[in-house]
Each structure stands twice: as C-alpha cells, then as structure tokens.
Amino acid sequence: MTASSPRRRVRKLIEVALPLAAINAASAHEKSIKHGHPSTLHLWWARRPLAACRAVLFAQLVDDPGSHPEHFAGEAAQQQERERLFRIIEDLVQWKNVANETVLHRAQTEIARSLAWQRGETAPQKPAEVRSYLAQHGPPICDPFCGGGSIPLEAQRLGLRAYGSDLNPVAVLISKALVEIPPRFAGRKPVNPESAERSRSEGWRNEGAQGLAEDIRYYGRWMRGEAERRIGHLYPKVEVTDEAVRQQPGLAALRGEELTPMAYLWARTVPSPNPACRGAQVPLISSFVLSSKQQIIAIPKVNDASNNYHFELKAGVTKEEMEQAKKGTQAGKRAGFICRLSGSPISFSYIKSEAQAGRMKQKLMAVVAENKGRVYLPPTESTERIAEKASPSWKPDHELPLDYHPFVPPRYGMTNLADLFTNRQLAALATLSDLIAEVKENILKDTDSGDYEEAVTTYLAMGVSKQTNRLSNLCFWDNTGQKIQQVFGRQALSMIWDFCEANPLSSSSGNFIGQVDYLANVVKASPKNAPEVSVMQADSADSIPHAVPFVVATDPPYYDYMAYADLSDFFYNWLRYSLRSLWPNLFSTVQTPKAAELTALEHRRGGKQEADAHFLNGMKNAFRNMLASDSHYPITVFYAFKQAENRNSGTTATGWSSFLQALLDCGFTIDGTWPMRTELTGALKKRKNALASSIVLVCRPRPEDAQEATRGQFVSALRRELPPAVARLQEASIAPVDLAQAAIGPGMEIFSRYAAVREANDQPMAVHDALALINEALDEILSEQDADYDSETRFALTWFENQKRGFSPGPYGEAETLAMARNVSVAGVAEAGILEAGAGRVRLLQPAELPGGWNPASDDRLTTWECVHHMIRALESDGEAAAAALLALTPARQRDAARELAYRLYAICEKQSRAADALRYNTLMALWGDLSRQADTQTTPQPTLALPEEE
C-alpha cells in the first residue's frame, strides 16, 4: 500500500521516535569544530547545527517501520527496524562522518527505499544508482528562510535537490557560496600558476571543489602580499627597546630585535570632569590585565606637573596586583569610571555627552608582537602617530539606527558605520577591497572561463567582509586566550572601552590570510557528488517552488530576537563595494532590505502592536504557501524563542504565541515536537541563562474531519497527556531554562489537533491563552513532584520558595512550624546536613558551605536536597569529574528525584528573579546527561524519546 492510499497515512520516522540524545550530543560537539565547518565561511546569526539539520531531514524523509506492517510484522520487528535506523542516524550526525561515503550511502539508500515504496518501485542499491534515483525522483527540499544555508547544505549532502531563499542579500550570498557555487566547479583544476604547474607534473585528482579552494588560497595570498606593498608602512615592525627591557627584564634576550606587531591595545579617553585637570584626556579601561597567562599588566604612570600620563608594562605580578588590575578604571557595575588623574567619578551620562560632542578619543596602551608566542611592548609616540596619520581611500557611509537597543555605540556618538573603525582599519579594508577587481583581472589571464573568476573573487570579497569582524574598534583583546575577539560575540554592537586593533598583515590572530584559509577549507570540504542547489533572494511569500512537489524544512526568524538586516549592514556595505558589479541584483540597494523583513521589531514598525501584526501576517503568508508541499511528507520547522510575558491570564511567550497562531490559522496541526540542543553558548556567554534548545515542530495539514473541543476538554487532555511528556523531557536532561519552551511542543500538539477549542462564550480560544494554560499545567506538574521527596527536602523546598527566602536566614519559630507540617523538626533537618540553626535564626546552607568528602552511599539520612547541592558544590569547586563521581555513588531513585528537584528549584528562582541561583541549577541540568554518562561504569543505551501514538 502506498502513501497516497486514502486508507492509511504513512508516518515518517520523525513523527514517531528519534535517538535524541545522540543528535543533541553531536550538535553540542559541533560547536567546537572549526576546520572546514560551514560556520567559518562567514558569520551568520542563529545557525542551526548541521547534525540537527541532517538528522531532521533524514527522519522527515524516511518512513517509520510501523507504517509498513507488510514489511515489518509486529511491534517487535518494527522496533528492531527503528533501532537499525537509529544507528544510521547516530553515525550520520557525527562530524567525522560528513565526508564518509559509506555512511552517507547508507542514509541515502534508506531515503531512496522509502521513496521507492511510495512509488511502488524497487529501490536501487548501488551508490551511483541511488544518487541518480534521488536526483531524478527525490522531492526537492525547500527552505524559504535559508539564512546561512545549513538546511540546503544537508539536503545536498543527502543527495537531494534543494531550493533556498532569503530576503537578506548577505544571507543569500553566504548560502550561494556554501551550496550553489562549489558544485558548479567540482572537479575543475586550479588555474593559478603554482597549482597548474604542479597538476601538470604530478597529475590531478578529481576531489570535489578542491581546485577552487586552491585558487582561493593562492589569490588570497597575492592580495595579502600586494596589500603589504601598499600599506605595510602603516604596520612597521616594533623594536624591543632598552625601556621595554627595563619594564620587563625577561625581554633582555630580545633587546634590539624588531618584531612584527599582531595587535595594538587601545583605551578610549574623555576629558576629565574635574576642572583642575584642564580638559586632560583620561582613559576608560575595563581591565589593566594584558595577559593572564604571562601575568602582564599595564600601569598608567601620571606626571603630576603636566596632568599627562603614559603606560608602563609589568610582568610576573602578584596575585593581589592582578586582582587590582582587573578592575581597570571602572567605578563598579553601572557606575562608570574613575578619573585616573583626580579620582573624580566619570558617569556614563557624562561619557555620552562628551562622546556625542566629538571629544572621545583613544590612547595606545600596549603593542602585542609575534615571537614564538606573544610579546607585550610599551607604546611609543611614533607607533601612535603612524596610526593617527592613516588615510583611507574609501569608507562606508551608513547611518546606524539610534533607537535599536542592542546597538550601543550610537549612544556614544558613533552613529555611522565608519565610526566603528579606526582610520588605519579603514585604510586596510579599503585597500583589500580595491584589490578584488585586480584579482579578477589576474584570474582572467590564467583561464579562459567566463564565470570562474567571479566565483573566486566572490569568496575573496567574503574574506574581506570576514576581516571586518576582526578589524574594528569594537574588537577586544582576550587576555586569557591572548587573541583578538570578534565584534559579534553576540547579536549586538556592544561598546568596547579598551579595544584591540589587529594587524591584518601579520601571521597571528585576526590576520587576513587566516580569514581566507577558513573560506578555502569550507569550499574544500563541500559535499562531493552533490546535486546542484538553487538559492535566490526573495520574500518568503514568493519563494515557494510551485512547479514541483517539494518538502519544507525551515528555520524562520525569531520574532524580535534580532534585527538581521541591521546587523548584516555591518558586512553588506563592504560586500557591496567589492561585488556590486559581479552581483548587481543582489547588491542593488544602498542598504539591506528592511521593510519586508519578517521580524517584530518595534523600532522599525512604530510600536509593539504594529510589529506583532507585521510578523503575524507575514508568517501566515509563508505558512499558507507551505500548504502546497508534498502531502507524503510533513513539514519541519526549527524555532527558538524565549520572552516571558506575565499577564493576569498567566505566563506566555509573545514570539511563540504569534508564530503558533500563524501556523494554526493556516490549517496546520502539530504532529510532533523535538527539543534539540542547537543554541549551545560559547565561552563569552557561559555565565548567562541562555536558551540552549530549539524546538523542531513536525506539522501536517489539519484533517478535514478534526473535531472541536471545549476549554474543559482541552484542560483535561493537558492534565492527562502532558505529565508523561514532561517526564520524557526531564529524562533527556533538557536544561531547566529550556523546559518551559520544550513543554510548549507537546501542549500545542494537544491544542492543534482540534479544529477549535471553544471558550465558555463559544469564542475560539487564542493560542496566547492556550500557552498560558500549558504553562499553568507545567507548574502543576513540577509542584506535584514535590510529594515524592523526603520530608527534609520538602521542608527545604518550601522554605526556599516562601517569601523569596532562598538561602537567607529566617525566624526559628516560623521554620519549626513549617517543619512540623512536613513531619520533621528543625533539629532533624540540621542533622541531615542542609541547614544551620542558632540565635533564633535558621538558614539553608549554600552549596559552597557543604563539607567535602560527602558520600551519598554511606549517608544514613540521605536527602534529595543534599544530592543536588553537593553535586553543585563539587561541580563549582572541582569540575565535572568530581560531580560525576558523586552521581555514580547516588542511588538510582535519588538520581531521578535530584533531577526533578533541580528543575523545580530553577523554576522558583526564575520566577523570583534570582539569576545567580537559577544559573547554578540550569548549569547542573545542562550537564546532567554528560555527568550521567561519566558516572556509568558501563555503556548503556541512550534514552530514546517516543511520541504518543495517534488516537
């Protein structure tokens, strides 16, 4: 029986079960991959991990064995077949296997087999035949919000055609460079003279886009060499002087040597607010520490007579000196800075007024040079003077939005894109950009192709664009890793007070050749034998390929989470300058298109209501077009959004509400939901309760015979079906910060199955109200788990929650009354080791106050509270291995209870705005899966989440 039979709908694997733990582990690991990873092609925001995209596409296209009793008779045979498919996915998601032809062939064969069953044909088996079959008969994958191109790339890797589109020209260019251009030149020999000669003498192996990658490297190096000839004088070598040796005696062996500078460390300055200083410029410095590893700090030396100062460097400082140096000239959190000359406070409002008046300047603190490591040298007047005299041949002229909160520099007078670069940076970037046209002419001399030179120069222009992210006065020096950090550590333009200026002509952090090598590595790693993919610039309402049946897999914008167009203007201006003649349609506008961008940004729409209406209507148009997708397959949508909105009706998320309302209004029902770990944050954001997961929604058109329900029936279904779904999420170690979002999925599965849910007044229930009910149900579920805890833990939990007490002390009498209600005494709770009582006061012990050496296996009064907080103590003081060792000693029942308690405590802390405590519990649960694997002495099967069967 085929999928087109009216008697039975063929369910896909993603609608039944997935090896979620393996997918999440591979997605998390992928964040640490650099060499050849597509994320290094060019920055794009909110990229989905390739592992997650690959797994979702595979499971979206492959039939669940339960749909084929004619091939797999009985539940046992069907489950055995699922486990076999899981093993294919577990291999498929590993980064080491992205170019493994054997692994890819197994996956492609399964997709072809399901397609053949659908068509009533015999599935091919040989690799070439499978690829041909998929290219000819496989449904093309359509992503109308392709962004950085992850979904089209993984469709291509699985042997399928794909259509990608995006309104943003920067996103379109990135996707074209990732998936459209490399297949066009696969197998082509490089044309540069060096490689051409080598291929003539040594032969040439047809290895995908390797030839294109070699030409990118060669002509990128030519650009770098030519740039050094033209602007090398702006980056002269720096001498290790007698003065440098006096300040750092350890440099004596280098005395007199001239070293290549790799970075210049600057401090912004403003006139002192103290009139006695007569307008002298004073530094705004977040930290005087230049190198934590080498223990080198900068010390401002003040000349009392002239009100001038200079910086000296000191190495091998004491711990106390390092701690003091970390404070820089800061006055404290949100308090501004301290004038180094007079000790007067410098408020942020004063800094803004001076900066807006054009009186914010900069002063060189130190130069970092190359010499088998990092050498820190004191600045000289000539070094600073050379930087100030640089004159760019061109600079962007683009006004930044003044009313967009994540853009901070405009508040300090940096209102134009050019203000985000020093003159020397502008000169370097303009020179590299001007060389793009010359590279094109050089390539034309080396080849007779009419479009190959356009491909190479496109990548090199992207290299210059990448360079801007490391060559701006919003970059900063990472004094731990001793490297230059990018502008976009997050989706914003932050204000950097002591900034770092890279030398693009060096061979160290932030240099131009490094950017080119990243590009070439990605091109070289492009999928081999890949079908061609089409990427176009289009609004999501106009980008659906109606000509053929297609399958939708997409990752739409996240409400007001970020202003993609405003952010990408940072790159767009430089790309347009270099590539407008090559890509005239893509760069036809002065700025990136913003009017039609599908976001809910108030600064662009004039208010919250207008922004929400724009987002809702745009999403409806997009989803309405998706209804035309191939009926044999569900659509899949990645979505990640966190924005709590408290109203009398309960807690909801505006972004989720509008997004889901559009989806349901267009006639879709949610057939499955999967929380995937796609938002793992990097080192710069580890101290935040940042969202870590996306929800993958699996959607089908709602059946025409769907029934309506009353509000009471919907609530009853929630109470019946949501608890086991939440339990599965907790078993999969979903981070507490993600639990409320993850629970939206199974809750909306229930809500969307009905044609409508009727309120008491017979009006249909809005998604906003349904979300509030789902969150209420989640709160009830977490609260009901309290009954499973021991008496001491139930006391501690209630004490912790009541009146926002947390770990703060409270009256003994109140504690004793509460303890009696829990069938325990304060003395008993103290004896259990979690509480301190004395002088009429009672308080819970902080994790750091708990004793080391605790063993849950030998504790004769073991409590769940202890298990959670001793693990936090071990994690914070001794790391993951120590926490895992404690978990290994914890009885299995207490493990489950501890996991549930951590979720409960996080929820309490989040509601009461206790961010520091919330972060502890979230961190513990985010690592729970890893800790459990370390704790287990034997390898055990990874838990598999299964969706409930259809009613």
Side-chain angles (χ1 to χ4, degrees), residues 683-803:
L684 297 178
K685 297 184 283 182
K686 281 184 178 176
R687 296 185 180 181
K688 297 182 180 180
N689 280 323
L691 200 64
S693 298
S694 292
I695 303 301
V696 178
L697 303 175
V698 185
C699 305
R700 295 265 192 179
R702 187 182 298 110
E704 294 181 2
D705 59 353
Q707 302 296 305
E708 292 189 350
T710 65
R711 179 189 180 98
Q713 289 171 324
F714 171 53
V715 171
S716 295
L718 277 178
R719 289 175 175 167
R720 182 175 62 253
E721 299 179 37
L722 197 58
V726 170
R728 289 195 297 270
L729 294 171
Q730 291 177 326
E731 289 167 7
S733 301
I734 297 298
V737 70
D738 294 328
L739 185 61
Q741 167 171 271
I744 288 174
M748 289 308 298
E749 283 183 56
I750 299 168
F751 181 75
S752 68
R753 76 170 62 132
Y754 302 114
V757 174
R758 296 289 176 181
E759 298 277 17
N761 61 3
D762 204 38
Q763 293 298 309
M765 180 182 290
V767 168
H768 174 276
D769 297 319
L771 289 174
L773 290 174
I774 292 168
N775 284 317
E776 286 178 16
L778 176 61
D779 288 343
E780 290 176 9
I781 292 166
L782 295 178
S783 297
E784 287 170 359
Q785 292 174 346
D786 296 357
D788 297 333
Y789 304 138
D790 52 85
S791 297
E792 292 85 353
T793 295
R794 285 189 287 117
F795 162 84
L797 179 60
T798 308
W799 181 262
F800 186 86
E801 182 178 17
N802 278 2
Q803 301 174 12

Side-chain angles (χ1 to χ4, degrees), residues 460-613:
L460 293 175
M462 291 176 68
V464 178
S465 180
K466 279 173 62 69
Q467 182 71 72
T468 64
N469 199 26
R470 302 282 180 178
L471 197 63
S472 163
N473 60 32
L474 299 183
C475 296
F476 68 92
W477 182 249
D478 177 356
N479 58 30
T480 300
Q482 300 189 100
K483 59 186 178 181
I484 296 157
Q485 288 290 2
Q486 61 179 319
V487 173
F488 292 104
R490 59 191 185 94
Q491 298 92 350
L493 291 177
S494 303
M495 194 63 192
I496 304 298
W497 301 109
D498 34 321
F499 67 88
C500 173
E501 180 188 7
N503 175 3
L505 307 180
S506 75
S507 59
S508 299
S509 178
N511 73 88
F512 178 66
I513 291 302
Q515 314 308 317
V516 171
D517 284 342
Y518 275 128
L519 286 159
N521 288 336
V522 174
V523 172
K524 183 178 179 180
S526 298
K528 299 177 179 64
N529 303 311
E532 292 193 3
V533 171
S534 174
V535 180
M536 63 179 178
Q537 184 185 18
D539 185 280
S540 59
D542 304 319
S543 59
I544 302 296
H546 294 288
V548 293
F550 58 90
V551 174
V552 173
T554 192
D555 176 25
Y558 302 155
Y559 198 67
D560 63 353
Y561 183 57
M562 68 181 79
Y564 300 88
D566 287 320
L567 288 166
S568 57
D569 273 332
F570 184 88
F571 301 114
Y572 179 82
N573 283 265
W574 294 100
L575 289 168
R576 185 173 188 267
Y577 179 67
S578 300
L579 295 177
R580 187 178 179 185
S581 62
L582 295 183
W583 299 92
N585 294 331
L586 205 55
F587 295 101
S588 61
T589 56
V590 176
Q591 301 176 12
T592 56
K594 298 179 176 63
E597 183 180 69
L598 196 44
T599 50
L601 298 166
E602 293 184 43
H603 79 279
R604 194 171 296 150
R605 303 295 163 197
K608 182 175 177 57
Q609 278 190 320
E610 294 82 355
D612 185 68

